[in-house]
Amino acid sequence: MKEDISHLLKREESPTLEFKRRWYWDDSTPKEEMGDKWGEFLKDLISLANGYLNKIGEHRYLIFGFSEEEKNLYNLDLDEIKQLKNLGSFKKTLLQKLESCTRPALLDINIETVSIESNILLVFEIPSPIHLIELKRELKTKTRHLDEGAVLIRKGQKTDEVRTATPDEIESLKVEFAKYKDSELYKKLNPENEVLISEKSIEKTIQLFIDKNSSYSLSEQFPVKERNWKESIIYEVYRLEDGFSGLREFVYIHDSSSQGKTLADIKDKKLVRNLSASIVLIDRPNIKDIERRKNNIKRLFGSEYVYFIDEFGYEHLYKDCILPYKKFNLPVYVNGLYDEDDACDLSAINRLKDWFNSENEPLFVVSGHGGIGKTTLAKQFLDSVSEENSEAGILFIDSKEIIGELSRNFSIDNKVSDVFDFYKALMDADEIEGARFDKESLQLSIDNGSLIVVLDGIDEVIAKLGEKFDVEQFITSIFEEYSSGLHKTKVLITCRDHFWNEVGKKILLPEIILKAFSKDLAYDFFEQKLKGDSKKLQKAMNMADNLAIESTVSPKGDDDKTYIPFLLDMIGYLINSKDVSEQDQINFQSKYLIPDDHTDQLVAQVCRREIVKLESLSVDQQIELFIRIAENKQNGINLYDIKEELEKITKDFDNTLIEKIKGHPLIQCENNMIYFRYDVFDTYFKGLLLYYFFKQKDLGAVNKELIRIVSGYLKYDSSFTESVAEKLILDDDIIIFCIGVIEAIDKTEGVNREMFISSVVSFLLTLLKKGNEKQSSLKSRTDLLEKLFEENGRLVGVCLVDIFGASNSKPTFDFRGKELVGCTFNNYEYFWECSMDDRTTFHRSIFKDIDPRAGVNYKIPDGIFSSSCDLTSIQHLLSEKQQESESTQEAIKSELEKVFKLFYQRGNFYPRKQEEVRKKLSTVKLLPQLMDKSVIKSYKDPEKPRMKQYIVCDSYKSVIDYIEQGSPSVEFQKLVKEFT
């Protein structure tokens, strides 16, 4: 490459060639600046890969250690940049970052150091891509925010200027890339169209072995890593020594390597002193007869110590830490379905099995409504994994079990952000004794594929912990820390869809959304649940038909009903336990429940069946007890506290009632705690609590528990909020009540006031959106805000927090001419889409995380933020707009000068022929507007009446001094401001 680089150094920079004198950072760079530095580097690489028109097919080069202006070489001291000391490790990190932010992923990059005239240069070579590469998430540099979907190119006023491509340029580049992909040149350069092979390493395995056997240390000159993909020679050799001349040697053979060639290379280089005593580690193959692979290696290397990597880790590093797995053996299981693109009714468990057998795909999400079967699917999947590989370590973590531990041990300053946090909480909550993973051994066991992890109901953590849970860092850690060696990591997450929709707005992961059961699946479920009893089955289907969650008309004209699995399970329970009739569902009275609501019907049915057993508790009293359970932030009630809760409901009971409650079909009792049998009921009864609160309009009910639930669950555009709003109507009474609720929050200490107020606003906006008489509009939303917050003509205390995502009804407001005081806008993505003008002013207000949504262009009117506002978190937006404004002003100044100078002659403005003006000012876009404003007017010369001419209006004479001497011109500056 040295000759190639010497040749490149003689060329000028271009869209495919860039020189830099130094690297972006060194070891002294502050940690808080590293994000922007990485962003700058990624921006340069991505724009270089795209290049510009007529550059497709050329290799791209980014060369560090050369100044184009000075034509001088500068030695790059890699020892001052810790990330560049190991280029192999750096490349792995770089590819992971590129994979997370580019679509399609930019992964074909070569990195080399080249010595020229005793100077070390660092060279990044990018073979010409065959696709146009765009950003799949926002990219931030020190000076710019680049939006998702942006296509970066290197062509502007300077040939190497990085900017965003125009739509026309994007289309032209796509055509060029497509032609190159089909060209003979590309076929010659890529004869086999090689697929990128994943870089794997056993470095973490060896490091953990050294940690556990502290007498050993790594010998000098080791490890030796060979990556000759072309010759299929891919291996690693580690030599460990102890203080007593002991020796332990490890050899890793990559599954893509030629075993014979690899062994020959190791022998030629004399890397292993004693092959027969060495430990040979290999990847577990995806074949049935896996022992044959080990036996072949044993014969070839002459060593009896051949292990699959996960097998070695299990046997020698963390076997004692793996918890025993007992199969769930679900008594009833129906294969759930999902849709993908144009394909419908696909098997969910088959998709999970495909994911499990794939490589370098560490994380998968199963989402869907509460009670749709996410947990059931996860358990059935784990049972299938256990059947295929009985030695597999399986860790099932139920969020409900650990939420208390997480809440106690983490804070906003010390957030939950790692799988290890969940593991430790599980071990502490269950008080499991014996050996435990530390963070490093847990990472290795997961990365090696020795441990499969399911985090069930992560929405519990999202909802309950709020800002104590850093979801993005949690996911990033799985990719960067748990999947950085052997790419065998498998972490499955289940989450209710309305929670994941919010989390997933910036995080793209493989996901399936479970569907409700079809009629055939419902029938299959009841056949298993009711053991084929035809009479019970027919009765169950009749009840289920009345509770079908939605109904559409199929092309055949038949009703196509869908069924929620947990409702089917409850129907099955009722029918198995007693002789019930579907007619029992119809008539009931309750202050909490509504007969027309399907779930309310079933809950009433279940509670009514329990009246005989519970004797002293009516349906509504049972409901009140369940609301109290749901209200408790411990996600349940201690068995020793249940008596106190019952005393608040009824005085007529004895201790036997408590034992009967433990057998209620909606709840279960474990470890002296009463929980809901189905997690969906925890959310359901929280919804009933809020419905009853807004229905009764009792300000005395405002307490910390209610405030916590309102703040945590009432979110804009969520199915939970809509389910509560569905039972209520928006009227003046409820608005007046909410004004009182907002006033009451000021008297409550230790709560997040801003979050609570925002949740109340979100709830009212949801009511407004569903109302028939007052459809949500800019005016109706603004009217609502004024009713809530207007004081003496000003809006005081408006709080809009965590309102984001893609909504059909954008929650925007009309702030034109309004004065807003003491307001909070935090993660309110629609802020810049609200109507504002020069008369809008904000005082003593807080703004945080209000970056505009992708594709939204916005303006910041002058003077809208007073000096009393906290603008720290949005300074980058203000600076960016100021730079844009200054750039626009300069462009407008330039155009106006062209216009006036055309008329300027001999110290004055003279008429010009209209034809001449149009020709010479053909590129000036402002000319028509200047004529509309009568700055430029038609002129008729008395001596040449037939000649069509233009002239500058006399009121702009001061511009002459501006042209001649650069003197300020009020008229000229007013024009610049008008056109900016």
Side-chain angles (χ1 to χ4, degrees):
M1 181 177 269
K2 183 174 180 179
E3 290 73 22
D4 294 336
I5 298 305
S6 297
H7 175 70
L8 288 172
L9 296 180
K10 297 175 184 177
R11 289 167 47 184
E12 298 290 327
E13 283 192 334
S14 74
T16 56
L17 176 64
E18 182 173 16
F19 302 114
K20 288 189 178 291
R21 177 174 170 177
R22 13 179 118 76
W23 186 249
Y24 300 86
W25 66 80
D26 58 30
D27 292 348
S28 65
T29 302
K31 186 177 179 181
E32 58 268 20
E33 294 180 14
M34 286 300 294
D36 290 347
K37 299 292 185 183
W38 266 105
E40 191 70 29
F41 176 37
L42 295 174
K43 177 205 73 174
D44 288 341
L45 277 181
I46 295 165
S47 62
L48 197 66
N50 285 328
Y52 195 63
L53 297 169
N54 302 317
K55 293 293 181 180
I56 313 305
E58 295 181 10
H59 277 37
R60 286 88 159 99
Y61 294 91
L62 179 56
I63 301 173
F64 295 87
F66 180 75
S67 169
E68 183 192 33
E69 293 81 8
E70 302 168 6
K71 301 297 181 186
N72 282 340
L73 295 164
Y74 290 87
N75 184 59
L76 201 66
D77 190 355
L78 300 185
D79 289 333
E80 293 182 356
I81 309 165
K82 63 184 179 183
Q83 291 90 343
L84 298 180
K85 289 177 183 177
N86 183 333
L87 289 183
S89 176
F90 176 77
K91 180 178 179 179
K92 192 181 304 177
T93 301
L94 172 61
L95 294 182
Q96 288 172 349
K97 288 182 178 290
L98 285 167
E99 194 168 16
S100 73
C101 72
T102 56
R103 180 174 49 229
L106 173 58
L107 299 177
D108 195 0
I109 296 178
N110 303 315
I111 310 174
E112 287 189 33
T113 55
V114 177
S115 177
I116 297 180
E117 298 176 10
S118 301
N119 293 292
I120 298 298
L121 275 64
L122 182 62
V123 180
F124 290 74
E125 178 189 53
I126 306 175
S128 176
I130 55 173
H131 298 288
L132 190 62
I133 293 162
E134 68 177 50
L135 297 180
K136 73 176 182 183
R137 65 169 173 79
E138 182 186 75
L139 188 65
K140 182 180 177 296
T141 70
K142 185 176 181 180
T143 58
R144 302 166 71 176
H145 275 258
L146 299 163
D147 291 334
E148 175 188 347
V151 174
L152 305 180
I153 56 172
R154 287 173 52 81
K155 179 72 173 180
Q157 292 177 344
K158 297 179 181 179
T159 56
D160 60 338
E161 179 186 359
V162 175
R163 64 175 174 82
T164 303
T166 66
D168 288 343
E169 286 171 330
I170 291 173
E171 290 306 312
S172 298
L173 283 166
K174 283 181 177 179
V175 170
E176 286 194 18
F177 276 114
K179 286 182 179 178
Y180 173 62
K181 183 180 179 183
D182 295 331
S183 69
E184 290 300 318
L185 173 62
Y186 176 73
K187 292 174 184 175
K188 287 179 182 178
L189 293 174
N190 303 271
E192 298 175 2
N193 197 16
E194 294 179 352
V195 178
L196 182 72
I197 305 172
S198 61
E199 295 272 357
K200 299 178 182 177
S201 176
I202 61 164
E203 192 167 338
K204 284 186 178 179
T205 299
I206 302 303
Q207 185 57 58
L208 188 58
F209 182 84
I210 293 173
D211 293 344
K212 287 188 170 293
N213 300 273
S214 56
S215 61
Y216 282 107
S217 61
L218 194 62
S219 301
E220 289 188 22
Q221 309 301 320
F222 285 87
V224 175
K225 298 183 180 182
E226 181 62 43
R227 295 287 190 269
N228 189 341
W229 300 102
K230 189 174 182 180
E231 297 295 330
S232 299
I233 301 173
I234 310 108
Y235 63 84
E236 295 179 356
V237 177
Y238 295 78
R239 182 181 296 164
L240 309 184
E241 297 175 339
D242 63 18
F244 305 97
S245 302
L247 191 70
R248 184 63 62 89
E249 294 175 304
F250 289 85
V251 180
Y252 165 53
I253 311 297
H254 193 283
D255 57 359
S256 297
S257 64
S258 165
Q259 297 168 10
K261 286 184 179 181
T262 297
L263 177 59
D265 197 68
I266 292 171
K267 286 182 175 179
D268 289 345
K269 294 176 180 176
K270 298 179 180 174
L271 297 176
V272 179
R273 292 182 185 174
N274 185 355
L275 268 173
S276 63
S278 64
I279 296 173
V280 182
L281 301 180
I282 60 175
D283 298 299
R284 183 181 291 272
N286 192 17
I287 58 176
K288 287 187 177 181
D289 189 4
I290 59 175
E291 289 301 317
R292 187 175 66 182
R293 178 71 58 87
K294 285 168 64 172
N295 292 332
N296 290 341
I297 297 288
K298 286 179 180 180
R299 283 195 299 270
L300 185 63
F301 280 75
S303 171
E304 286 297 314
Y305 309 107
V306 178
Y307 298 91
F308 299 123
I309 299 166
D310 60 315
E311 176 189 26
F312 177 81
Y314 178 81
E315 291 293 339
H316 297 281
L317 300 179
Y318 41 71
K319 181 178 182 178
D320 294 341
C321 301
I322 300 284
L323 298 174
Y325 176 71
K326 184 178 180 181
K327 290 179 69 175
F328 294 102
N329 289 323
L330 302 173
V332 178
Y333 176 71
V334 175
N335 191 358
L337 303 175
Y338 72 101
D339 296 338
E340 187 172 72
D341 298 328
D342 295 331
C344 297
D345 294 339
L346 302 174
S347 167
I349 197 163
N350 287 346
R351 178 66 182 94
L352 289 187
K353 289 177 180 178
D354 290 343
W355 162 72
F356 185 70
N357 292 322
S358 66
E359 283 207 1
N360 203 15
E361 201 173 14
L363 196 53
F364 199 92
V365 179
V366 174
S367 68
H369 292 301
I372 204 76
K374 301 181 295 294
T375 300
T376 302
L377 173 65
K379 290 179 176 179
Q380 186 70 11
F381 165 67
L382 290 180
D383 278 359
S384 71
V385 170
S386 177
E387 289 172 5
E388 292 288 329
N389 181 8
S390 59
E391 297 177 359
I394 293 174
L395 189 62
F396 181 86
I397 302 178
D398 185 341
S399 295
K400 291 194 299 295
E401 294 182 15
I402 62 169
I403 195 73
E405 285 293 327
L406 291 174
S407 180
R408 281 191 292 274
N409 296 323
F410 291 90
S411 65
I412 292 176
D413 297 325
N414 174 34
K415 300 183 179 185
V416 176
S417 59
D418 196 283
V419 174
F420 182 73
D421 298 334
F422 286 81
Y423 167 76
K424 186 175 183 303
L426 174 70
M427 300 296 284
D428 292 344
D430 289 350
E431 298 180 346
I432 299 173
E433 298 181 356
R436 291 191 180 193
F437 286 108
D438 56 24
K439 187 172 180 178
E440 288 71 25
S441 59
L442 183 70
Q443 287 176 353
L444 181 66
S445 67
I446 293 175
D447 194 15
N448 283 355
S450 299
L451 187 64
I452 300 97
V453 179
V454 169
L455 300 178
D456 186 48
I458 202 171
D459 47 271
E460 293 278 345
V461 184
I462 297 170
K464 302 290 176 56
L465 296 191
E467 292 185 8
K468 292 183 183 179
F469 182 27
D470 190 334
V471 185
E472 290 192 40
Q473 179 55 41
F474 167 75
I475 290 172
T476 299
S477 74
I478 291 175
F479 282 89
E480 294 185 354
E481 298 177 29
Y482 287 83
S483 185
S484 56
L486 295 172
H487 308 303
K488 297 285 187 181
T489 297
K490 294 297 169 187
V491 177
L492 177 66
I493 289 174
T494 73
C495 186
R496 274 177 283 176
D497 54 358
H498 71 272
F499 282 96
W500 191 253
N501 289 342
E502 295 180 358
V503 173
K505 71 189 181 95
K506 295 180 181 176
I507 306 167
L508 299 176
L509 294 171
E511 174 191 7
I512 57 173
I513 303 173
L514 281 185
K515 299 171 61 176
F517 280 4
S518 65
K519 191 161 191 170
D520 288 342
L521 291 183
Y523 193 89
D524 184 10
F525 177 88
F526 284 135
E527 270 201 317
Q528 296 181 52
K529 183 81 174 179
L530 304 175
K531 304 193 184 318
D533 187 315
S534 58
K535 289 185 178 179
K536 289 182 176 180
L537 202 157
Q538 186 58 49
K539 192 175 293 184
M541 285 302 299
N542 289 340
M543 291 179 68
D545 282 342
N546 290 330
L547 293 172
I549 201 66
E550 63 183 48
S551 179
T552 58
V553 178
S554 68
K556 298 178 182 178
D558 303 323
D559 279 346
D560 184 15
K561 295 183 177 180
T562 57
Y563 308 80
I564 298 299
F566 95 86
L567 292 175
L568 302 183
D569 198 33
M570 291 303 301
I571 290 170
Y573 168 85
L574 289 171
I575 290 179
N576 270 330
S577 60
K578 290 169 186 162
D579 181 24
V580 301
S581 166
E582 59 270 17
Q583 294 302 316
D584 290 342
Q585 295 171 242
I586 298 173
N587 297 313
F588 66 87
Q589 288 187 338
S590 168
K591 62 183 180 182
Y592 298 107
L593 305 177
I594 297 174
D596 292 339
D597 186 277
H598 295 155
T599 310
D600 284 7
Q601 278 188 20
L602 185 61
V603 169
Q605 173 83 336
V606 173
C607 291
R608 193 162 49 198
R609 294 288 162 190
E610 295 300 306
I611 289 177
V612 174
K613 186 170 72 174
L614 298 178
E615 297 172 350
S616 59
L617 292 184
S618 66
V619 169
D620 274 357
Q621 287 173 324
Q622 292 177 57
I623 299 299
E624 187 175 346
L625 174 62
F626 298 143
I627 286 175
R628 291 181 178 278
I629 294 174
E631 188 179 19
N632 195 297
K633 68 179 177 181
Q634 299 300 322
N635 201 40
I637 291 183
N638 193 295
L639 200 55
Y640 304 112
D641 297 330
I642 194 71
K643 185 174 181 179
E644 183 181 341
E645 297 297 334
L646 284 169
E647 285 175 347
K648 297 173 184 176
I649 299 170
T650 178
K651 302 296 182 184
D652 182 22
F653 75 93
D654 56 31
N655 290 336
T656 60
L657 177 62
I658 297 175
E659 289 302 312
K660 294 174 181 177
I661 287 173
K662 287 163 64 175
H664 198 288
L666 296 186
I667 61 177
Q668 61 184 0
C669 182
E670 290 181 4
N671 300 322
N672 291 323
M673 289 288 290
I674 288 181
Y675 301 98
F676 289 108
R677 185 176 299 276
Y678 304 95
D679 65 348
V680 70
F681 281 120
D682 180 60
T683 305
Y684 168 77
F685 284 109
K686 281 181 171 67
L688 281 187
L689 166 68
L690 298 185
Y691 157 66
Y692 190 68
F693 170 69
F694 287 109
K695 175 188 173 186
Q696 292 298 105
K697 303 178 183 63
D698 178 11
L699 285 176
V702 177
N703 56 35
K704 284 191 175 182
E705 292 306 308
L706 184 128
I707 291 170
R708 178 180 61 82
I709 293 171
V710 167
S711 301
Y713 283 83
L714 286 181
K715 303 294 183 183
Y716 187 78
D717 206 28
S718 78
S719 58
F720 177 88
T721 309
E722 289 173 356
S723 69
V724 177
E726 192 64 36
K727 299 178 179 181
L728 297 160
I729 59 170
L730 182 65
D731 55 23
D732 289 340
D733 288 343
I734 203 166
I735 293 174
I736 292 169
F737 173 66
C738 286
I739 293 172
V741 169
I742 292 172
E743 291 173 352
I745 190 72
D746 292 329
K747 303 171 186 175
T748 309
E749 297 181 358
V751 296
N752 188 326
R753 175 183 176 278
E754 291 76 15
M755 182 71 79
F756 177 81
I757 293 174
S758 178
S759 292
V760 172
V761 173
S762 293
F763 172 66
L764 292 175
L765 288 174
T766 305
L767 279 174
L768 178 65
K769 186 171 64 171
K770 85 171 207 24
N772 293 323
E773 296 179 7
K774 294 183 178 180
Q775 290 295 336
S776 180
S777 65
L778 185 66
K779 184 180 185 306
S780 63
R781 290 190 297 271
T782 306
D783 289 345
L784 177 62
L785 216 60
E786 289 174 348
K787 288 178 181 178
L788 292 171
F789 299 105
E790 190 170 58
E791 294 181 15
N792 301 321
R794 305 185 302 173
L795 291 177
V796 180
V798 175
C799 296
L800 297 172
V801 181
D802 288 344
I803 298 177
F804 53 79
S807 172
N808 292 329
S809 176
K810 293 194 295 185
T812 54
F813 306 93
D814 188 352
F815 293 146
R816 287 175 297 182
K818 289 184 170 51
E819 189 176 358
L820 295 95
V821 181
C823 301
T824 298
F825 301 94
N826 185 352
N827 198 21
Y828 172 50
E829 279 192 348
Y830 298 87
F831 179 82
W832 299 109
E833 293 169 70
C834 292
S835 300
M836 291 181 268
D837 58 20
D838 290 339
R839 296 176 300 129
T840 304
T841 54
F842 294 92
H843 302 276
R844 301 194 310 278
S845 296
I846 297 171
F847 305 87
K848 186 177 180 182
D849 292 335
I850 57 169
D851 288 17
R853 297 185 305 137
V856 172
N857 191 20
Y858 64 99
K859 290 185 178 181
I860 303 179
D862 291 339
I864 66 168
F865 301 118
S866 73
S867 59
S868 61
C869 291
D870 182 355
L871 305 177
T872 308
S873 297
I874 63 167
Q875 196 59 54
H876 63 284
L877 297 174
L878 303 180
S879 300
E880 186 178 292
K881 278 299 171 185
Q882 184 177 356
Q883 289 174 5
E884 282 183 19
S885 176
E886 290 172 357
S887 175
T888 304
Q889 282 188 3
E890 288 303 315
I892 288 170
K893 270 187 182 180
S894 177
E895 287 210 341
L896 288 174
E897 285 175 2
K898 284 181 186 177
V899 174
F900 285 113
K901 284 179 179 179
L902 180 61
F903 291 91
Y904 175 77
Q905 282 181 319
R906 305 185 304 280
N908 207 341
F909 289 136
Y910 285 87
R912 286 280 188 178
K913 291 180 181 178
Q914 291 187 8
E915 184 180 346
E916 179 188 4
V917 171
R918 291 194 188 98
K919 185 175 180 181
K920 290 190 174 182
L921 298 181
S922 60
T923 60
V924 175
K925 298 177 182 177
L926 297 179
L927 183 59
Q929 293 164 271
L930 288 170
M931 294 174 68
D932 290 341
K933 291 176 178 289
S934 296
V935 178
I936 306 298
K937 301 190 298 183
S938 295
Y939 174 73
K940 184 181 290 187
D941 190 334
E943 297 180 7
K944 303 174 184 176
R946 293 189 177 181
M947 184 182 292
K948 293 183 178 180
Q949 297 183 87
Y950 289 130
I951 194 170
V952 176
C953 178
D954 286 342
S955 59
Y956 288 88
K957 286 282 187 180
S958 68
V959 181
I960 293 172
D961 291 335
Y962 173 78
I963 293 172
E964 291 179 339
Q965 304 169 30
S967 301
S969 165
V970 174
E971 287 75 14
F972 186 81
Q973 290 302 323
K974 283 174 79 173
L975 282 176
V976 172
K977 190 172 182 181
E978 284 179 27
F979 288 121
T980 300

